[in-house]
Amino acid sequence: MPSQPPAPRPAAVGIDVGGTKILGGVVDADGAVLDSEQVPTPKDGQGTLAAIETLVAKLLARNQGVAAVGVGAAGLVEWPGGRIRWAPHNAYRDLPLREVLAAATRLPVVVDNDANAAAWAESRFGAGHGADDMVLLTVGTGIGTGLVLAGRVYRGAAGIGAELGHMIVDVDGARCPCGNVGCLEAMASGSALGRYGREAAAADPGGLIARLAGGAAEVTGLHVTRAAEAGDAVALGLFERLGSWLGVGVANALTIFDPAVVVVGGGLSAVGELLLAPTRANIGRWVHGRAYRELPPLVMASLGPAAGLVGAATIALEEVG
């Protein structure tokens, strides 16, 4: 009797809702992306919801046998209810996304925080593979964080925990987009780097940072990065400043959670050691009991922009069993 071909691996749609773009894909249980598409993130909540629904519908139409839908979205996301309460960089407010997508697709749907989804993907398939206890920080416009503890995503009682980017590290620090003062995001994100750069360019209008941007008011984190890569002392000092604050945040995470590995992702992580080296140098300065502990590795994320959608899809597959 001829042998039967193996059954296809179950797959889910994964969606990663960011501040500027929405990434979608079909992902199997091994984390392989089988199909993908992206659209810009609309500026209003209803437009964002419509874009998500359209993207999911397109992926479902092109791929048969999808078992579930998973969404990773920036902001405070209730678990397991899947209602997005609020997000500092997105327009949606009090959005019952799980309920809406379940009605539209007639499939099981999970909705989680985007950094939680990315952390799960990195722990299963990426830089944190093999570590049951891992902290992920995504450093970009803001700072997202996800925790995997004892092999499971940690979310807190309502699903809105693990927001290490919004722990206060400087009570006299800058105002954060969340409305608070001195959050890690306000002191160590790509937006903070741009702010530091504008301050430096205003103080030195003839310096490389100001010249690259065409004036102090136009400086972004990218101009600071280009100047640092060219060896500019002022720009390198700004990365030292950024890394010192990120080191405070990582040290706090180590003191509280004692992870086996800390993974750094997000757009700014692409600069590599420009960011990681000063961060490493400052972790040991602030972590509790430094003389009596070993520091875990601080490594770059390995899944890139796909981490969020891979994590969302595979969380959905785990939930449907």
Side-chain angles (χ1 to χ4, degrees), residues 184 187-189 193 196 236-250 268 273-283 286 298:
L184 182 64
M187 309 305 294
S189 64
L193 183 65
Y196 299 153
L236 289 169
L238 297 183
F239 270 99
E240 290 286 337
R241 181 180 179 186
L242 200 78
S244 71
W245 285 116
L246 194 59
V248 170
V250 174
L268 194 56
E273 289 301 310
L274 269 177
L275 178 65
L276 296 190
T279 301
R280 284 194 197 95
N282 281 278
I283 293 171
W286 301 111
L298 179 75

Side-chain angles (χ1 to χ4, degrees), residues 65-210:
V66 169
V69 176
V71 180
L76 300 181
V77 183
E78 294 176 10
W79 180 270
R83 177 183 294 271
I84 307 175
R85 296 185 179 186
W86 172 79
H89 300 290
N90 292 74
Y92 40 64
R93 300 288 183 269
D94 195 31
L95 175 62
L97 185 56
R98 182 184 184 189
E99 178 183 318
V100 170
L101 289 181
T105 64
R106 300 187 181 277
L107 289 171
V109 175
V110 301
V111 179
D112 204 348
N113 173 268
D114 58 343
N116 288 348
W120 181 245
E122 289 288 347
S123 74
R124 290 278 311 277
F125 313 110
H129 180 64
D132 284 341
D133 296 275
M134 186 199 84
V135 172
L136 170 74
L137 296 97
T138 59
V139 186
T141 302
I143 293 182
T145 53
L147 303 177
V148 175
L149 302 177
R152 304 295 297 172
V153 176
Y154 177 80
R155 300 178 178 92
I160 60 175
E163 290 284 355
L164 302 185
H166 295 286
M167 63 182 169
I168 308 303
V169 295
D170 182 3
V171 294
D172 297 315
R175 178 75 61 180
C176 181
C178 76
N180 220 326
V181 172
C183 296
L184 182 64
E185 176 172 308
M187 309 305 294
S189 64
S191 298
L193 183 65
R195 185 178 74 250
Y196 299 153
R198 288 188 290 277
E199 293 168 354
D204 183 15
L208 182 58
I209 296 173

Side-chain angles (χ1 to χ4, degrees), residues 246-256 282-288:
L246 194 59
V248 170
V250 174
N252 287 339
L254 299 190
T255 298
I256 298 167
N282 281 278
I283 293 171
R285 182 180 177 192
W286 301 111
V287 70
H288 173 66

Side-chain angles (χ1 to χ4, degrees), residues 19 26 46 68 87 111 115-116 146 153 155 173 178 186 201 218 233 249 287 294 299 304 313 317 319:
V26 175
Q46 283 302 313
V111 179
N116 288 348
V153 176
R155 300 178 178 92
C178 76
E218 306 303 317
V287 70
E294 287 130 12
V299 300
L317 289 173
E319 290 298 313

